[in-house]
Amino acid sequence: MNYHNILAALLLSGFTSSAALSQSVPGTRPGSAQPSTAAAAEPISAANISKYLQAVSSDEMLGRKPFTTGEQRSTQYLADEFKRLGLKAVLPDGTGAGSATTYFQPVPLVEITGTPNTTLQIKGNGQSLDLQYKTDFVAFTQREQPLVNVTNSPLVFAGYGVVAPEYGWDDYAGLDVKGKTVVVLVNDPGNAGTDTTLFKGKAMTYYGRWTYKYEEAARHGAAGLLIVHDTKPAAYPWSVVLSGAISPKLRAQTSNKGADKCALEGWLTLEAAKRLFTIAGSSYEQLYTAANTRGFRPRPLAGLTLTGSIRNKTRSQTSRNVLAVLPGTTRPNEYIIYSAHWDHFGVGKAIAGDSIYNGAVDDGTGLAALLSIAEAFQKTKEKPQRSIVFLAVTGEEQGLLGSAYYAQHPPFPLNKTVADLNMDMLWPYGPMKDLTVIGYGQSELEDYARAAAKEQERYLLPDQTPETGMFYRSDHFSFAHVGVPSLYASGGFESRTGGKATIAQQRQNYTTNMYHKPADQFDPSWDLTGIAQDAQLYFRVGQRLASETTFPKWRAGSEFKGARDKSMGGK
């Protein structure tokens, strides 16, 4: 169904056109209309943030895990709030009742619980090497089969496993990997290597993400893909890889049940990889040096083969995104998306007597901002000329599953989608001087953020840890991946009251003691004015985008520009 036609019809339900907005904003492109001063002053209060944050992170929500009672409660709460705010439900409810609509977008997922064989067997050159599960390797699969076998699969080394035409780089050049198991290094040549003129230097590109490496290997027909873990370029220790690998994994349901994916995906410890390369007649140092040299060509690992297996239990179920729309007054068929993820980890292992993983900061704060922005748009006298979509997605913690599903099954055309403004983990430690943009340098949305920050007497700060690839780890990336310009920003490096040192200490305490733990729960002593400040800034960015007729663009050199150019070619 063509949902943007539904929105045009919704205009009959009481939304009227507003006058052109004329207040100028710093950084405005010529000819752009701007929201009025009165609109700019519309407050989003800490009290409102607190109200929503306490609700979505309460024990009643049971940690908001997909496929649980916590999902039912939290998604119904969001839908009820959208309805209370007067936002439109525009998705068909599946009953075949014609005009019946819902706030829920079904997201079919499958949970795969995989148990690998305790050893990976490496043989060849008259030698053998048995790698031990958890100690030397972890393995999993996206194939929905009771048993997945990889038997005597030839091993090859393909550098970083990257095919990047814009950088003149192809780690698969001239190598047929069909049926073979590919071994690659973590990260990308610029980030992990020694030559910072490659790719974007220390700022990780999408090619450094492990998800990309699995996708690229599958596109080449590989039976398996193993990534060599090295703590420094990975930016996390082996324990993080291990904890993620041994947990049941949610994946998108596909018609071929994952048959187009590699049979075996996984990681090797650095020490295990060194032993593997040694019996292949080479060394880690030699292969690392070669992989970081322009013109690198992949090579077989000297006749070595790999054998391994994974037993799976699968469970298919439908989760749901929650989506509501404020129709635009004059251009309802153009869309600005505000996104945040509703999911967290549910009820799990008790720590200090608490087993509910409430997820207050991650990402109750984003949900509170999402609802507060929706309320602000409804209270503002001058309604947006473009339609505003409020989207709370599932499965972020399992790999951006809900946002990826939306991007692959968009209710509204991608070439009519102006931007995604994503909110994830806003800091409850008071107002900030900075606005830190994750993935700084990617798109013109930074200009909009800079103008809104100036109104708040804040300065724009590039991502302070670009080497960790945070731009690829939250839901805005799903939109960027299909070409929609996306913004992911918040204050978090210089407190107005405590400076840089205080906020650094508070963030470190959160990361060490609260992140992904039951301790991430609402604290009445939190100062939520900084979250209100960020939400107000996002509100202003959305207002400006809604008042314009142009579309923000990716910067030259962005790896997402090509997808947008292709999409907009049929606009």
Side-chain angles (χ1 to χ4, degrees):
M1 181 178 292
N2 196 334
Y3 300 113
H4 67 281
N5 287 340
I6 294 177
L7 281 180
L10 287 173
L11 293 179
L12 298 175
S13 61
F15 290 91
T16 58
S17 178
S18 64
L21 303 172
S22 59
Q23 176 67 28
S24 113
V25 173
T28 301
R29 283 179 283 174
S32 298
Q34 295 303 320
S36 68
T37 303
E42 183 69 30
I44 293 177
S45 69
N48 234 26
I49 294 289
S50 178
K51 174 186 68 175
Y52 290 128
L53 180 55
Q54 289 185 67
V56 298
S57 63
S58 68
D59 282 357
E60 183 182 354
M61 298 302 180
L62 297 172
R64 306 191 307 273
K65 186 177 181 178
F67 294 5
T68 68
T69 299
E71 167 169 4
Q72 298 301 315
R73 291 178 180 176
S74 55
T75 56
Q76 189 60 55
Y77 168 81
L78 292 168
D80 290 344
E81 287 303 302
F82 285 153
K83 183 177 181 179
R84 180 185 67 82
L85 291 171
L87 302 174
K88 299 295 182 181
V90 299
L91 301 172
D93 68 357
T95 63
S99 61
T101 57
T102 179
Y103 291 104
F104 302 120
Q105 180 187 36
V107 181
L109 301 175
V110 59
E111 182 183 74
I112 304 176
T113 304
T115 304
N117 193 13
T118 55
T119 61
L120 277 182
Q121 297 178 336
I122 312 295
K123 293 183 178 180
N125 300 328
Q127 301 185 73
S128 65
L129 175 65
D130 287 345
L131 300 179
Q132 302 302 309
Y133 180 49
K134 297 183 182 179
T135 303
D136 297 320
F137 80 95
V138 293
F140 34 86
T141 186
Q142 296 188 59
R143 294 190 179 183
E144 299 172 41
Q145 300 172 343
L147 177 65
V148 174
N149 280 310
V150 175
T151 305
N152 295 325
S153 174
L155 282 164
V156 298
F157 178 69
Y160 288 93
V162 167
V163 178
E166 66 271 36
Y167 296 115
W169 200 277
D170 186 354
D171 283 331
Y172 286 90
L175 184 66
D176 181 3
V177 299
K178 290 182 175 61
K180 300 174 183 177
T181 295
V182 183
V183 179
V184 301
L185 303 177
V186 69
N187 226 304
D188 67 44
N191 180 292
T194 56
D195 184 353
T196 56
T197 66
L198 299 176
F199 288 59
K200 292 186 178 179
K202 288 301 180 183
M204 185 195 292
T205 68
Y206 174 49
Y207 300 112
R209 291 289 290 141
W210 51 267
T211 50
Y212 162 78
K213 296 175 189 290
Y214 295 135
E215 292 166 0
E216 193 62 57
R219 280 190 284 270
H220 283 79
L225 187 283
L226 295 172
I227 303 172
V228 177
H229 174 267
D230 186 347
T231 297
K232 185 177 179 180
Y236 41 80
W238 178 252
S239 60
V240 173
V241 175
L242 180 61
S243 63
I246 64 178
S247 303
K249 296 185 179 302
L250 285 179
R251 295 287 184 261
Q253 290 183 30
T254 59
S255 58
N256 65 9
K257 297 186 179 297
D260 60 338
K261 304 297 183 182
C262 293
L264 182 147
E265 300 173 346
W267 294 76
L268 297 173
T269 65
L270 181 57
E271 290 306 312
K274 288 180 176 180
R275 300 203 307 272
L276 169 65
F277 295 148
T278 296
I279 67 168
S282 187
S283 71
Y284 173 76
E285 290 74 18
Q286 289 172 330
L287 293 175
Y288 180 86
T289 299
N292 285 283
T293 303
R294 189 175 292 281
F296 164 80
R297 289 295 178 265
R299 73 266 329 249
L301 286 173
L304 297 182
T305 64
L306 176 147
T307 297
S309 64
I310 305 173
R311 294 189 179 277
N312 294 317
K313 294 181 179 179
T314 60
R315 179 167 65 112
S316 296
Q317 197 163 320
T318 299
S319 187
R320 54 193 187 180
N321 294 332
V322 191
L323 180 151
V325 178
L326 176 61
T329 57
T330 60
R331 292 187 299 286
N333 295 344
E334 296 176 354
Y335 309 91
I336 298 157
I337 298 174
Y338 284 95
S339 61
H341 71 89
W342 61 255
D343 67 302
H344 201 59
F345 292 101
V347 179
K349 178 182 178 181
I351 300 177
D354 189 357
S355 61
I356 299 178
Y357 290 64
N358 302 85
V361 171
D362 182 18
D363 183 33
T365 55
L367 293 175
L370 184 77
L371 292 168
S372 296
I373 292 168
E375 187 168 340
F377 269 109
Q378 283 291 46
K379 287 181 177 178
T380 301
K381 181 179 179 181
E382 295 171 308
K383 294 297 185 283
Q385 296 173 32
R386 285 168 159 161
S387 292
I388 311 295
V389 179
F390 299 95
L391 176 64
V393 295
T394 185
E396 190 271 353
E397 301 289 3
Q398 296 283 340
L400 317 184
L401 299 178
S403 56
Y405 186 85
Y406 179 101
Q408 295 301 321
H409 305 83
F412 316 113
L414 295 177
N415 65 354
K416 297 290 186 179
T417 302
V418 177
D420 172 61
L421 309 176
N422 186 57
M423 296 160 288
D424 192 356
M425 290 184 65
L426 306 178
W427 297 107
Y429 306 128
M432 302 290 167
K433 291 184 179 180
D434 70 283
L435 178 74
T436 299
V437 177
I438 305 301
Y440 182 84
Q442 286 281 6
S443 83
E444 292 179 349
L445 286 175
E446 296 158 15
D447 300 335
Y448 293 77
R450 182 178 290 104
K454 187 175 181 180
E455 292 176 352
Q456 297 179 334
E457 298 182 342
R458 301 168 71 182
Y459 63 90
L460 223 60
L461 187 67
D463 184 359
Q464 296 298 283
T465 55
E467 67 277 7
T468 64
M470 285 301 297
F471 187 81
Y472 312 102
R473 299 186 184 185
S474 191
D475 291 299
H476 61 282
F477 172 66
S478 294
F479 293 94
H481 198 203
V482 294
V484 176
S486 305
L487 179 67
Y488 178 30
S490 65
F493 281 92
E494 185 172 5
S495 165
R496 284 199 181 276
T497 56
K500 296 177 181 179
T502 297
I503 186 62
Q505 183 179 21
Q506 289 170 317
R507 287 175 57 133
Q508 184 58 52
N509 176 63
Y510 174 83
T511 301
T512 303
N513 300 313
M514 300 169 66
Y515 180 60
H516 288 185
K517 295 181 175 69
D520 185 6
Q521 57 188 335
F522 181 82
D523 185 340
S525 70
W526 280 343
D527 181 351
L528 302 180
T529 54
I531 298 178
Q533 180 187 45
D534 284 343
Q536 177 70 13
L537 184 145
Y538 262 58
F539 172 59
R540 290 289 292 132
V541 170
Q543 279 190 310
R544 179 180 166 191
L545 288 167
S547 71
E548 295 181 339
T549 59
T550 54
F551 283 63
K553 295 179 175 62
W554 294 104
R555 308 282 193 200
S558 170
E559 56 264 51
F560 311 112
K561 186 176 183 297
R564 185 60 158 182
D565 290 346
K566 182 178 179 180
S567 171
M568 300 303 283
K571 181 180 174 183

